[in-house]
Amino acid sequence: MIEVVSERVSIDRHEGRTSVVIGARLSKTKEALLVAWFLCWLLVGAYMVYARTELPVQDPLRNYMLMFLAFWAYFALKVGRGVLWRLKGFEQWRLKDGVLTIKDSIFGFGKANTFFVENIQKLGALKVDPTSFKFQFNESIWNIGGERLGFEYQGRKVIFGKSLDETEAKRVLQVLQDALKTARRVAGQ
């Protein structure tokens, strides 16, 4: 049975398996602005490479431009990955056979992390402060982040649930908690 929580979030429940898929899509306006901003960033970098090649080899400005290009390249990769995430990315969770699998996927590729349900503890919503800089930065559209849920697994914290709003987070948390209880009960038999 598939339950559509929102335009971006769906839950698929069958006997012995629960899956949640969270799309990373933005509104068309935000998507267009993000892509335009990224293309402008690429043009600035291309111009800086061109300007650096036009300078004489002994000019000290070449070293400063090289440092700028290193900064530029770092953010081009970070924002480029964020653009791909927003255009073609999704987060998928699957609870099956006593294993919770969480995967961040871009074009269907991504690393799946697996967690045994008997080792998952303190599953719940993360406490966030909407007035903090960290929250605002993590919520930005060029960033892959905005996790809302988490748990402890063998002494480390695992966070997931990218860009969920409060109502989506409550609903998928309830479904995941119910599925974990069922999986633990089946594993205990």
Side-chain angles (χ1 to χ4, degrees):
M1 173 175 128
I2 295 179
E3 173 187 348
V4 178
V5 176
S6 70
E7 189 176 297
R8 300 179 321 106
V9 181
S10 63
I11 301 169
D12 184 15
R13 287 187 279 189
H14 292 293
E15 185 67 33
R17 179 178 60 84
T18 302
S19 298
V20 177
V21 176
I22 303 168
R25 298 299 297 247
L26 298 167
S27 67
K28 292 295 180 190
T29 306
K30 286 182 180 180
E31 209 171 83
L33 288 172
L34 180 62
V35 170
W37 180 69
F38 181 61
L39 291 175
C40 289
W41 187 258
L42 292 177
L43 288 173
V44 166
Y47 177 74
M48 292 300 287
V49 168
Y50 167 75
R52 187 173 184 273
T53 59
E54 293 297 312
L55 290 173
V57 176
Q58 280 73 28
D59 193 341
L61 185 57
R62 285 177 61 92
N63 292 334
Y64 293 115
M65 291 177 101
L66 185 62
M67 288 188 304
F68 173 83
L69 285 169
F71 160 82
W72 172 86
Y74 170 77
F75 281 100
L77 288 173
K78 190 161 180 68
V79 173
R81 188 163 179 246
V83 168
L84 287 176
W85 171 255
R86 293 298 182 178
L87 295 177
K88 297 294 180 182
F90 60 92
E91 181 179 15
Q92 181 179 16
W93 322 333
R94 184 180 65 219
L95 183 58
K96 181 180 175 184
D97 299 329
V99 176
L100 173 64
T101 305
I102 300 175
K103 179 180 178 181
D104 293 336
S105 179
I106 298 175
F107 290 114
F109 297 100
K111 183 181 178 202
N113 297 305
T114 58
F115 308 95
F116 294 105
V117 295
E118 59 268 8
N119 296 328
I120 295 174
Q121 308 205 354
K122 299 181 183 177
L123 174 66
L126 299 177
K127 293 180 178 110
V128 293
D129 178 13
T131 61
S132 72
F133 174 77
K134 181 181 177 183
F135 173 80
Q136 295 298 327
F137 183 76
N138 208 21
E139 285 293 306
S140 59
I141 63 172
W142 60 84
N143 200 4
I144 301 174
E147 291 86 353
R148 291 288 182 267
L149 305 174
F151 59 84
E152 287 187 13
Y153 185 79
Q154 297 181 337
R156 66 182 175 104
K157 293 182 181 186
V158 177
I159 56 175
F160 59 101
K162 292 177 178 39
S163 302
L164 292 174
D165 65 29
E166 195 172 325
T167 57
E168 293 169 339
K170 283 181 183 176
R171 180 64 188 130
V172 295
L173 178 60
Q174 179 187 16
V175 168
L176 192 55
Q177 286 172 335
D178 291 345
L180 278 174
K181 284 179 190 173
T182 304
R184 287 180 177 142
R185 191 172 48 245
V186 169
Q189 290 179 353

